[in-house]
Amino acid sequence: MAMAGRPPFLAVALLLVATVMLSWGGNVEVAEAQTPVFACDASNATLASYGFCNRKASASARAKDLVSRLTLAEKVGFLVNKQPALGRLGIPAYEWWSEALHGVSYVGPGTRFSPLVPGATSFPQPILTAASFNASLFRAIGEVVSTEARAMHNVGLAGLTFWSPNINIFRDPRWGRGQETPGEDPLLASKYAVGYVTGLQDAGAAGVVDGALKVAACCKHYTAYDVDNWKGVERYTFDAKVSQQDLDDTFQPPFKSCVLDGNVASVMCSYNKVNGKPTCADKDLLSGVIRGDWKLNGYIVSDCDSVDVLYTQQHYTKTPEEAAAITIKSGLDLNCGNFLAEHTVAAVQAGELSEEDVDRAITNNFIMLMRLGFFDGDPRELAFGSLGPKDVCTSSNRELARETARQGIVLLKNNGALPLSAKSIKSMAVIGPNANASFTMIGNYEGTPCKYTTPLQGLGSNVNTVYQPGCTNVGCSGNSLQLSTAVAAAASADVTVLVVGADQSIERESLDRTSLLLPGQQTQLVSAVANASRGPVILVVMSGGPFDISFAKASDKISAILWVGYPGEAGGAAIADILFGSHNPSGRLPVTWYPASYADTVKMTDMRMRPDTSTGYPGRTYRFYTGDTVFAFGDGLSYTKMSHSLVAAPPSYVSMQLAEDHPCRAEECASVEAAGDHCEDLAFDVKLRVQNAGEVAGAHSVLLFSSPPSAHNAPAKHLLGFEKVSLAPGEAGTVAFRVDVCRDLSVADELGGRKVALGGHTLHVGDLKHTVELRV
């Protein structure tokens, strides 16, 4: 039975499940005496005498003791994700690779489902969760996912190290993995990263010693990674040409926040090169920035097989030994793959690498496992040890998945048809290739969900439905188009709901799109059904990335449009909750929806964020894009009307007190450094009164933007903060933002340094605007 690389004591669990169901709280017997089940098992007196098993010592001291006991041949086994067992020291095998992008996943080999735990809560893909603009929700999801992960770990079904979240910027609308991310805005991505990571790691939980973690999160893919496979250009060999300004202004902020504010346990370097260097072999990016500038308290891991890729596909080094040496010396600690286990000993013997370099790397890995309790014996006797199958797929966890989808769904158009009244509908036509979607709703990096509720099921629980797919799949080619039956269903129904969009055959890891139009003949399907429909037509777009649906936006035949992302296991129930008005939509788009011409004129491989008027290059994302949009970042409607007013206006000007010898005292400057004594305590408050002026209760996301002066080719506007409030009809609430001038109003200059532009900064929330002038 192949058990090497499995999580702690999963080998035992597998043996027991084969004969009798492993019950929570039952005794676990060691199948083979020579195979350790728990590291530092307290029942073994020999193990208890080892320094690395002394739980009273610091993690670093324990790791140092363990490293001192290893041979070089043994050490290299701890550089890879499939960590082998070391029987002589009582250390079991461990698989580092588990995933938890939006729930515990079976994608990584460190986690699996069984009759004991047949599924876990599957939340919406992060792109939809981000549309909620609710930071407390980001953390709440992380807490639930880590609880289910620990529960599965305690019965041998999961590891402790989860390589999530994906916090890359959704720079280009064609990117197949944009669905995994929090969107195109650096601040939103940063807030998501901090919230989800903090929830996953749950370091402040009761009973947890300082520095200990519930599970270890990992922010990926570092950095400037957002091309997978576009017109033959693959991520494995793509060289992202990125200016220092764009790097520090757009791509790095989420990772910086993840490390500094989220105290993440790990960062994963990416496949691609950045300006000619593979990220996993870039000492400046790894040792210099992550460990040096940001002080990562954790380990750095490669994307899977990326060390092999930089040698075999990128040909960055002449020998495998050089590849092993340059990555470890650059700051890599763990290789997803087996390359370092195969070539590191030879690299040391050839003088390319010192054994001390190897020691540094595995020490970081061991310290992480110490913090997770891996070397503390039976995890069921430790913090979180009471968690088990009863804590997975609970009713509250499943309700949170449904609530997340409700908060994220974005209403893009409504001519008054929504919300629907179930009492007045005798028949509803439910049409489209995603109308009865189940697996599609959970996107990629998925796990087995607790239970599906498809759109058809959700709608059908409210009214009588007639279902016609219209196309047999989302590709909707000529052979799969079933137009006549779909048109007939719409012609005889009181209301028609069309559910179209994409799935993983259209957008996914290793597959970017080449078009922004709906796939195949979906547009023809929508138009034909809308023209034939007897009643209102509601268009629901299920996708990760945006589409050009200008035709539907302009059509009088289409009464309403919703974007529902990939809404998770309860997606169908959440869609019905929105359509029938039991929940008021409050989601906002986390990405720009571009016209189809964007894909025809802008190369996906052009990494420039800022527009270039000399060539007609329009720039990217709402912060820089100068062209037309189908829908804009932050768009989203409600069934009620929310109004904003200033409670306490910020000052009309703010003076920056520069040192006597500062050059900007003697000459006119466009900007000053966003650091130094002049930044101390330089902040002001923005207080807003938000009132629900309608007749329907609802939540509302307040987005505060700033439009800075034009110095340093600054963004047209950028997000400073967001808060979500829930208000009853007629109710008012106060939302306050603390604006730190040097942190929040600064921009990256041409060399990547943070500068505060002098002049007028216009703050705006919706139509409400106020300008603050910064002076010296």
Side-chain angles (χ1 to χ4, degrees):
M1 185 177 289
M3 296 181 183
R6 289 292 187 182
F9 62 96
L10 180 51
V12 173
L14 285 168
L15 291 169
L16 294 179
V17 169
T19 55
V20 64
M21 180 65 71
L22 179 63
S23 60
W24 168 240
N27 293 323
V28 177
E29 298 179 359
V30 180
E32 302 176 46
Q34 69 270 27
T35 303
V37 180
F38 315 118
C40 299
D41 190 341
S43 64
N44 187 319
T46 301
L47 297 181
S49 67
Y50 291 149
F52 67 85
C53 291
N54 180 7
R55 294 170 59 182
K56 295 181 180 180
S58 67
S60 59
R62 296 173 70 184
K64 182 178 180 181
D65 176 81
L66 176 54
V67 171
S68 71
R69 299 174 186 273
L70 302 176
T71 67
L72 176 60
E74 290 170 336
K75 289 174 181 177
V76 299
F78 295 98
L79 289 170
V80 294
N81 64 290
K82 289 188 180 299
Q83 175 181 302
L86 186 58
R88 73 177 184 85
L89 294 180
I91 301 173
Y94 178 71
E95 173 57 72
W96 284 79
W97 180 8
S98 288
E99 301 280 355
L101 180 68
H102 54 106
V104 180
S105 170
Y106 50 56
V107 171
T111 301
R112 71 181 186 94
F113 294 95
S114 77
L116 188 60
V117 181
T121 307
S122 186
F123 289 89
Q125 279 283 54
I127 192 65
L128 187 68
T129 298
S132 71
F133 283 88
N134 186 345
S136 63
L137 181 63
F138 305 158
R139 177 164 183 163
I141 295 169
E143 290 174 350
V144 166
V145 173
S146 64
T147 292
E148 296 195 345
R150 261 286 178 171
M152 292 178 66
H153 172 75
N154 288 346
V155 292
L157 294 174
L160 293 165
T161 45
F162 290 82
W163 294 345
S164 305
N166 179 343
I167 58 168
N168 293 118
I169 294 297
F170 197 167
R171 174 188 60 92
D172 189 287
R174 295 162 286 191
W175 188 30
R177 301 190 73 176
Q179 58 184 296
E180 302 173 28
T181 77
E184 70 182 35
D185 180 74
L187 180 85
L188 176 58
S190 297
K191 295 289 188 183
Y192 179 87
V194 172
Y196 191 64
V197 164
T198 303
L200 274 180
Q201 299 189 160
D202 208 7
V208 179
V209 299
D210 185 39
L213 303 172
K214 192 175 180 181
V215 300
C218 174
C219 283
K220 63 184 186 184
H221 310 82
Y222 181 83
T223 181
Y225 168 70
D226 52 23
V227 173
D228 264 63
N229 187 350
W230 179 78
K231 295 186 176 181
V233 178
E234 291 192 315
R235 57 183 175 168
Y236 304 114
T237 53
F238 178 58
D239 187 2
K241 300 295 186 181
V242 185
S243 71
Q244 194 64 47
Q245 183 176 36
D246 283 342
L247 189 67
D248 290 330
D249 181 58
T250 296
F251 299 106
Q252 295 290 69
F255 290 97
K256 182 177 182 179
S257 292
C258 192
V259 176
L260 291 177
D261 302 322
N263 197 21
V264 74
S266 176
V267 174
M268 176 184 286
C269 52
S270 53
Y271 291 112
N272 58 289
K273 292 185 283 188
V274 174
N275 299 326
K277 285 186 178 181
T279 63
C280 294
D282 192 325
K283 189 171 185 178
D284 290 335
L285 284 177
L286 303 188
S287 295
V289 176
I290 299 177
R291 284 211 183 275
D293 296 341
W294 300 343
K295 311 297 183 188
L296 173 72
N297 180 23
Y299 69 101
I300 298 175
V301 61
S302 74
D303 206 340
C304 293
D305 292 321
S306 62
V307 181
D308 179 83
V309 164
L310 71 86
Y311 168 64
T312 60
Q313 295 190 45
Q314 297 176 358
H315 307 295
Y316 190 68
T317 63
K318 293 181 179 179
T319 68
E321 292 78 20
E322 289 176 357
I326 195 171
T327 52
I328 293 173
K329 289 196 290 187
S330 292
L332 188 69
D333 302 309
L334 188 73
N335 167 211
C336 179
N338 206 46
F339 193 92
L340 293 186
E342 295 173 349
H343 300 292
T344 300
V345 170
V348 173
Q349 292 172 342
E352 301 279 354
L353 185 70
S354 70
E355 190 166 349
E356 288 72 22
D357 292 321
V358 177
D359 291 349
R360 173 199 50 75
I362 63 172
T363 295
N364 289 330
N365 299 337
F366 287 146
I367 288 174
M368 182 51 55
L369 292 179
M370 303 286 179
R371 294 172 63 192
L372 288 163
F374 178 83
F375 287 98
D376 292 344
D378 189 339
R380 294 171 300 176
E381 298 176 2
L382 307 174
F384 311 113
S386 63
L387 297 175
K390 64 180 173 50
D391 300 295
V392 183
C393 286
T394 65
S395 58
S396 61
N397 292 357
R398 292 170 60 191
E399 176 58 28
L400 185 63
R402 182 172 178 172
E403 174 63 16
T404 301
R406 286 190 295 232
Q407 288 198 32
I409 289 173
V410 183
L411 179 63
L412 293 170
K413 175 183 176 180
N414 186 19
N415 69 1
L418 297 180
L420 300 172
S421 171
K423 293 181 180 179
S424 64
I425 298 173
K426 294 182 179 179
S427 65
M428 171 184 283
V430 184
I431 298 171
N434 279 335
N436 198 29
S438 54
F439 184 70
T440 294
M441 296 193 303
I442 60 175
N444 67 352
Y445 281 84
E446 76 287 354
T448 303
C450 307
K451 178 185 177 182
Y452 286 117
T453 303
T454 72
L456 180 62
Q457 291 170 335
L459 297 169
S461 67
N462 290 269
V463 296
N464 292 324
T465 59
V466 175
Y467 166 60
Q468 290 292 336
C471 296
T472 57
N473 55 65
V474 295
C476 205
S477 63
N479 294 333
S480 68
L481 187 63
Q482 301 171 343
L483 204 55
S484 59
T485 52
V487 166
S492 60
D494 293 329
V495 61
T496 297
V497 177
L498 275 157
V499 190
V500 299
D503 64 12
Q504 301 305 302
S505 71
I506 302 297
E507 53 178 0
R508 68 174 187 273
E509 185 173 12
S510 298
L511 180 62
D512 301 318
R513 290 189 285 155
T514 57
S515 171
L516 296 181
L517 296 175
L518 289 172
Q521 299 187 63
Q522 285 191 34
T523 297
Q524 293 91 315
L525 172 66
V526 172
S527 297
V529 167
N531 288 331
S533 180
R534 190 180 76 189
V537 176
I538 315 302
L539 179 64
V540 177
V541 181
M542 185 180 294
S543 68
F547 287 102
D548 183 346
I549 51 171
S550 302
F551 76 98
K553 180 181 180 182
S555 174
D556 293 335
K557 298 286 188 178
I558 297 175
S559 303
I561 302 173
L562 297 94
W563 173 70
V564 301
Y566 292 119
E569 64 174 40
I575 290 169
D577 291 339
I578 297 292
L579 293 186
F580 287 101
S582 62
H583 188 91
N584 192 348
S586 62
R588 303 282 202 95
L589 288 180
V591 291
T592 301
W593 286 39
Y594 301 85
S597 59
Y598 188 88
D600 299 328
T601 57
V602 178
K603 291 183 178 180
M604 189 174 176
T605 51
D606 191 329
M607 300 293 291
R608 291 176 297 165
M609 297 301 300
R610 288 158 168 80
D612 183 348
T613 56
S614 67
T615 61
Y617 181 70
R620 296 181 178 276
T621 77
Y622 81 95
R623 298 166 66 230
F624 302 105
Y625 177 61
T626 56
D628 296 329
T629 62
V630 180
F631 294 106
F633 176 91
D635 276 359
L637 304 174
S638 170
Y639 295 151
T640 191
K641 179 177 176 56
M642 299 286 183
S643 64
H644 311 98
S645 59
L646 279 171
V647 174
S652 57
Y653 69 90
V654 172
S655 294
M656 305 187 76
Q657 303 300 317
L658 302 181
E660 291 294 333
D661 59 349
H662 195 287
C664 291
R665 279 185 168 275
E667 60 186 65
E668 186 174 342
C669 295
S671 65
V672 296
E673 301 84 357
D677 292 343
H678 57 269
C679 288
E680 293 297 321
D681 301 319
L682 193 63
F684 57 84
D685 294 317
V686 178
K687 292 184 179 179
L688 300 163
R689 183 176 185 268
V690 184
Q691 183 170 16
N692 184 345
E695 299 178 355
V696 181
H700 177 61
S701 293
V702 181
L703 276 54
L704 176 64
F705 293 94
S706 171
S707 291
S710 59
H712 305 299
N713 205 4
K717 68 175 182 177
H718 61 111
L719 188 64
L720 297 188
F722 54 89
E723 294 289 341
K724 194 148 196 167
V725 292
S726 295
L727 300 170
E731 184 183 6
T734 300
V735 174
F737 296 95
R738 182 69 172 173
V739 178
D740 182 297
V741 170
C742 291
R743 180 193 65 199
D744 300 324
L745 299 185
S746 61
V747 298
D749 68 12
E750 291 75 7
L751 299 178
R754 301 301 297 184
K755 296 291 179 62
V756 180
L758 300 176
H761 292 251
T762 301
L763 309 176
H764 38 112
V765 174
D767 295 330
L768 185 66
K769 295 185 178 182
H770 180 88
T771 298
V772 178
E773 185 177 355
L774 299 184
R775 305 174 180 173
V776 294

